[in-house]
Amino acid sequence: MTQQWSIAVHGGAGTMTAATLAPALVVAAEAALALALEAGAAILRRGGSALDAVEASVVSLEDEPLFNAGRGAVFTYHGTNELDAAIMDGRGRTAGAVAGVAHTRNPVRLARAVMERSPHVMLSGAGAEEFAREHGVEQVDPDWFATPERWRQLQELKARKLGWFDADLKYGTVGAVACDGAGHVAAATSTGGLTGKRWGRIGDSPLIGAGTYADDRACAVSATGAGEYFIREAVAHEIAARMRLAGFSLQDAADAVIAEVGALGGDGGVILAAPGGQTAFAFNTPGMYRARVDAAGLHEVAIFRG
Ligand code: ASP
């Protein structure tokens, strides 16, 4: 029997509903998700690896200004963009991550370089970008990341003295999970973090086991939401562990762990892919920008619940 490939992507979870999100934004977001999904699916369709597929999908979402990753990343309190990303290969549980980079056009590419070309798993700040330059990973002027809408959001947060987790903020982190034709899974996540973040704050996205995890023995996971809660719950690893050690199904493991995040007071969601080719979504927010496609003909692009 031929192994079925599959891929899922997300562009963040949040409070958006069909009543609150402008129709033009719905159309634009769905088009961007479909484009990113296809960037990865094209690789899987021609027999490529899950790792290459999730990287390609996340690069597409990083370059899309609508989402909070790469171009269009949120601003820190001091008006800079500091980006975090991670990638993991379920074959041998190899992983790479970067935190607080400010000049790397596609942080997920740098995370992959860390995984494949350094002896380390995670690099941060100036050191990560020194490594990027040494390995020819594209660097850009910080202006590349800045958009007027994100600037407006920072001013609004300051003017209204909003907290980082205020209910009307949406999490626009991006991610991808995939299973390839050989039955291997991979995950990648990329983010600008939270609007107005300070003090070198790092969320769950680049933390292996929190916002990103891939294990061929269980599944691949990419998360979005209130990062501090996802770190405390070790969400991505916890989902994989429940499948591997407690026999949970993909959906049941994700639902149970997201319910526990909710019980701690956190909100957000996850996308998942299993070595059998199944994909799943779980989130406790009104919406999550998401899409998936597989070799069996499933094709879904959605934002709202239901
Ligand atoms: N999880 C991200 C963080 O806390 C935010 C997001 O999902 O948009 O950095």
Side-chain angles (χ1 to χ4, degrees):
M1 196 184 109
T2 325
Q3 165 72 34
Q4 302 281 15
W5 59 261
S6 61
I7 182 163
V9 300
H10 72 80
T15 53
M16 59 280 185
T17 64
T20 59
L21 200 62
L25 207 54
V26 171
V27 172
E30 287 182 349
L33 288 167
L35 196 71
L37 189 68
E38 183 50 31
I43 290 170
L44 297 168
R45 213 175 276 125
R46 57 173 188 261
S49 70
L51 188 67
D52 286 343
V54 294
E55 181 185 4
S57 287
V58 169
V59 163
S60 171
L61 293 164
E62 285 176 337
D63 283 346
E64 165 57 60
L66 275 181
F67 301 113
N68 171 22
R71 186 170 223 178
V74 298
F75 283 96
T76 65
Y77 191 82
H78 297 296
T80 58
N81 301 111
E82 295 176 10
L83 314 169
D84 306 330
I87 192 165
M88 186 161 182
D89 188 339
R91 274 175 291 199
R93 276 167 283 140
T94 50
V98 293
V101 297
H103 299 85
T104 299
R105 173 172 170 170
N106 294 109
V108 72
R109 288 203 200 282
L110 181 53
R112 183 160 178 181
V114 171
M115 174 173 102
E116 292 178 337
R117 300 162 78 184
S118 90
H120 307 300
V121 169
M122 188 170 198
L123 302 180
S124 71
E129 292 192 320
E130 183 185 343
F131 178 83
R133 288 190 299 275
E134 284 174 12
H135 289 83
V137 179
E138 185 179 352
Q139 301 293 288
V140 291
D141 187 275
D143 284 351
W144 165 261
F145 304 110
T147 65
E149 173 58 13
R150 294 300 187 200
W151 186 252
R152 190 198 62 72
Q153 289 170 1
L154 175 65
Q155 304 318 315
E156 184 185 338
L157 178 131
K158 286 184 171 179
R160 292 173 57 197
K161 299 201 175 6
L162 297 174
W164 289 293
F165 304 123
D166 269 305
D168 61 347
L169 288 178
K170 78 173 168 47
Y171 306 106
T173 290
V174 309
V177 293
C179 170
D180 61 29
H184 301 299
V185 295
T189 311
S190 183
T191 189
L194 299 179
T195 302
K197 67 184 182 179
R198 302 176 82 170
W199 311 304
R201 181 266 186 191
I202 296 165
D204 60 313
S205 310
L207 299 186
I208 298 304
T212 307
Y213 202 70
D215 182 348
D216 273 3
R217 300 170 301 174
C219 64
V221 184
S222 173
T224 172
E228 280 68 8
Y229 297 92
F230 282 69
I231 294 172
R232 289 164 54 201
E233 177 74 9
V235 164
H237 184 270
E238 180 71 18
I239 291 172
R242 287 197 194 197
M243 291 181 67
R244 191 163 58 86
L245 304 173
F248 279 52
S249 73
L250 191 67
Q251 189 72 56
D252 288 352
D255 288 344
V257 174
I258 289 300
E260 289 191 3
V261 169
L264 292 176
D267 56 358
V270 287
I271 58 171
L272 310 103
Q278 312 91 318
T279 52
F281 304 120
F283 52 100
N284 66 1
T285 45
M288 181 166 77
Y289 294 99
R290 61 198 188 277
R292 60 177 162 175
V293 61
D294 69 21
L298 173 71
H299 191 283
E300 181 185 352
V301 181
I303 301 177
F304 313 115
R305 189 173 288 285

